[in-house]
């Protein structure tokens, strides 16, 4: 039974599944054999992308995982005693079927009091960055993943679990084909990496007119665009400062990188506004997931300042564009009422990050952090706002 009763249905904007080892390979065309492999390194299984072992996710099998909400105390009070990341995570657990399959997950959602959820893959966040010099390969791997997601989870299981397929954008025509493929199979939301798009001639913003045919089709389908935290490739910039070539390692803290960790989403949202995509397509529905909200105030301030000095560079007031199109799922420890004051409470979404260690062990406790909100506004944040986006 849920830890308490609430008077409104919960719609969680940030749930996760753990992929199996065949998620990327079962449907991968034979010509790409070996592009993704699981290899044994000193007794531990690692993932190798085109022969290069990645430590981005140290345990890519997910057979053993950190417990849901293991880092709650860390995010609540910090780390005054200087615990190691392993000490913060605590005792791990064996992955349970609810982390891998939709039917047991639905039972767990009932136990947790969650009516509906967006369900994001986990390991998928490392793929695009490690293949950015081969756009054809990226599209092939992402389609293979989406085929596996559809077969294993479906995209609208029992109309309660909305698994979010990935759309990669290097080749616009292929991106449109992939969008059509997932929508035809019931997808209600799509995951797009908040990062420059790789291509045959280098990277570029997904908000440039080149991508307008894709965004036009997104509007026609009515799907929600989720910009979920991922490896956006910003390790390259930090490496320029730190004098090394290491990959982005989210579970190994680094003070310099931590200070600027939300720069990718700030750049992605700013690009959508400054490069005009949200003005050319004002009906686009965008949700920023697992990127927190600390960047929102500074970004609004910067947009207002630039608009004051360069209004001719915008089709419309950029601050109002952000407030119109961008929805944000803040971290539970942030001030949701303050975020509501910045963008409107109708743009704030509950997301627990369950079952990741950075999230909440009991997603319902998110409501305890909405004490400054009225009951009506709590209902909006805890499910009403996302229901409006998903149900149209």
């Amino acid at each position: 039974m849920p830890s308490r009763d609430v008077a409104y249905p919960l719609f969680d904007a940030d749930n996760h599944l753990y992929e199996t080892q065949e998620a990327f390979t079962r449907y991968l065309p034979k010509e790409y054999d070996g592009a993704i492999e699981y290899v044994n390194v000193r007794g531990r299984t690692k993932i190798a992308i085109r022969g290069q072992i990645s430590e981005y996710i140290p345990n890519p099998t997910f057979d053993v995982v950190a417990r849901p909400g293991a880092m709650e105390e860390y995010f609540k009070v910090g780390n005054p005693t200087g615990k190691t990341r392993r000490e913060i995570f605590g005792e791990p657990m064996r992955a349970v079927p609810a982390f891998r399959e939709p039917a047991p997950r639905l039972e767990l959602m009932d136990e947790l009091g969650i009516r509906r959820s967006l369900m994001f893959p986990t390991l998928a966040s490392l793929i695009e960055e490690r293949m950015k010099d081969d756009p054809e390969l990226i599209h092939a791997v992402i389609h293979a993943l989406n085929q596996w997601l559809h077969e294993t989870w479906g995209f609208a299981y029992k109309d309660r679990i909305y698994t979010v397929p990935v759309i990669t954008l290097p080749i616009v025509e292929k991106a449109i084909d992939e969008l059509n493929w997932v929508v035809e199979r019931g997808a209600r939301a799509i995951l797009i990496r908040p990062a420059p798009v790789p291509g045959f001639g280098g990277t570029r913003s997904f908000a440039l007119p080149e991508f307008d045919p894709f965004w036009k089709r997104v509007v026609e389908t009515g799907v929600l665009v989720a910009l979920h935290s991922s490896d956006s490739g910003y390790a390259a910039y930090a490496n320029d400062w730190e004098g090394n070539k290491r990959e982005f390692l989210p579970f190994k803290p680094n003070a310099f990188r931590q200070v600027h960790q939300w720069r990718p989403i700030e750049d992605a949202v700013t690009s959508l506004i400054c490069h005009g995509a949200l003005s050319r397509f004002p009906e686009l529905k965008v949700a920023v997931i697992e990127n927190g909200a600390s960047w929102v105030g500074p970004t609004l301030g910067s947009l207002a300042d630039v608009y004051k000095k360069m209004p001719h560079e915008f089709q419309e007031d950029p601050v109002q564009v952000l407030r119109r199109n961008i929805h944000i799922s803040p971290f539970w420890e942030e001030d949701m009422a303050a975020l509501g004051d910045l963008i409107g409470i109708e743009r704030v979404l509950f997301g627990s990050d369950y079952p990741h260690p950075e999230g909440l062990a009991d997603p319902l406790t998110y409501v305890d952090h909405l004490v400054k909100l009225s009951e009506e506004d709590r209902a909006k944040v805890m499910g009403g706002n996302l229901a409006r986006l998903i149900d149209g």
Side-chain angles (χ1 to χ4, degrees):
M1 293 293 292
S3 59
R4 75 197 72 183
D5 292 322
V6 292
Y8 35 79
L10 269 59
F11 197 160
D12 197 330
D14 188 21
N15 269 207
H16 284 270
L17 60 88
Y18 288 128
E19 298 95 322
T20 64
Q21 291 189 37
E22 58 185 5
F24 299 101
T25 58
R26 179 186 295 172
Y27 292 107
L28 193 62
K30 294 296 183 183
E31 64 206 83
Y32 298 112
D33 276 354
I36 297 178
E37 298 177 292
Y38 287 82
V39 298
N40 186 285
V41 179
R42 294 186 292 276
R44 301 193 67 183
T45 301
K46 299 292 182 181
I47 191 169
I49 311 295
R50 295 186 298 175
Q52 182 70 40
I53 294 170
S54 172
E55 290 286 351
Y56 175 80
I57 293 179
N59 178 25
T61 67
F62 303 118
D63 292 334
V64 176
V65 296
R67 293 183 179 278
M71 299 180 72
E72 281 191 47
E73 190 69 13
Y74 171 81
F75 287 114
K76 183 177 181 180
V77 302
N79 186 18
T81 60
K83 292 180 180 178
T84 66
R85 190 53 58 110
R86 183 176 293 277
E87 289 172 330
I88 291 170
F89 280 164
E91 191 68 27
M93 63 177 287
R94 302 291 301 181
V96 297
F99 298 169
R100 305 276 203 179
E101 305 166 29
R105 184 55 166 266
L106 206 57
E107 294 179 5
L108 179 57
M109 285 170 55
D110 287 339
E111 293 174 14
L112 295 172
I114 299 173
R115 176 61 189 170
R116 295 195 283 174
S117 70
L118 297 185
M119 191 70 62
F120 291 91
T122 296
L123 193 59
S125 58
L126 68 79
I127 291 297
E128 292 178 80
E129 181 60 23
R130 286 154 186 80
M131 298 179 174
K132 64 182 180 181
D133 62 331
D134 193 339
E136 294 278 3
L137 176 60
I138 297 175
H139 281 282
V141 171
I142 292 301
H143 182 57
L145 168 66
N146 288 338
Q147 287 178 283
W148 178 86
L149 286 171
H150 178 252
E151 179 185 81
T152 307
W153 285 79
F155 294 140
Y157 184 77
K158 303 292 187 182
D159 205 25
R160 289 183 61 188
I161 297 176
Y162 302 102
T163 303
V164 185
V166 180
I167 303 294
T168 189
L169 299 171
I171 303 171
V172 177
E173 295 77 15
K174 286 182 178 291
I176 294 172
D177 288 344
E178 192 70 19
L179 173 65
N180 289 334
W181 190 89
V182 300
V183 169
E184 287 167 2
R185 287 157 179 79
R188 308 286 282 276
I190 57 173
L191 189 164
I192 291 179
R193 185 175 69 130
V197 179
F200 296 109
T203 61
R204 71 279 198 211
S205 166
F206 50 36
L208 296 175
E210 171 191 353
F211 294 94
D212 281 2
F214 173 77
W215 296 122
K216 179 176 183 292
R217 184 61 186 140
V218 170
V219 171
E220 290 170 350
T221 64
V223 295
L224 174 66
V225 176
L227 300 178
H228 191 284
S229 181
S230 183
D231 184 351
S232 295
Y234 277 57
Y237 308 121
N239 287 342
D240 284 344
W241 284 100
E242 297 191 320
N244 61 47
K245 296 182 179 180
R246 78 178 194 178
E247 67 175 336
F248 173 44
L249 301 174
F251 297 110
K252 291 192 177 181
N254 174 294
F256 177 78
R257 295 168 193 245
Q258 192 83 1
V259 170
H260 303 288
Q261 65 178 320
W262 308 121
R263 184 61 185 268
I265 194 61
E266 183 178 355
D267 287 350
V269 170
T270 302
S271 175
L272 284 168
I273 296 170
C274 293
H275 293 143
L278 294 183
S279 293
R280 296 191 298 274
F281 301 97
E283 295 178 345
L284 271 175
K285 301 179 295 186
V286 180
V288 174
I289 309 294
E290 205 175 318
N291 283 276
S294 62
W295 56 275
V296 178
T299 298
L300 287 171
S302 296
L303 288 171
D305 183 62
V306 173
Y307 184 56
K308 179 177 67 176
K309 297 170 181 175
M310 307 172 66
H312 55 284
E313 289 290 315
F314 298 89
Q315 296 181 42
E316 52 186 330
D317 183 340
V319 169
Q320 296 309 315
V321 172
L322 191 152
R323 290 172 173 162
R324 179 187 67 209
N325 290 86
I326 305 298
H327 305 72
I328 297 169
S329 177
F331 296 133
W332 60 267
E333 69 270 20
E334 295 180 308
D335 190 333
M336 276 73 117
L339 178 61
D341 290 340
L342 286 175
I343 64 172
I345 203 65
E346 292 78 12
R347 301 290 182 266
V348 181
L349 308 175
F350 151 58
S352 71
D353 195 27
Y354 190 92
H356 285 174
E358 304 95 329
L360 291 168
D362 179 3
L364 246 174
T365 60
Y366 196 98
V367 77
D368 296 336
H369 303 276
L370 304 180
V371 291
K372 298 179 183 178
L373 300 182
S374 67
E375 191 70 3
E376 179 182 1
D377 285 345
R378 291 180 195 176
K380 291 177 182 177
V381 170
M382 296 300 292
N385 293 337
L386 184 54
R388 169 177 47 83
L389 294 173
I390 293 296
D391 299 335

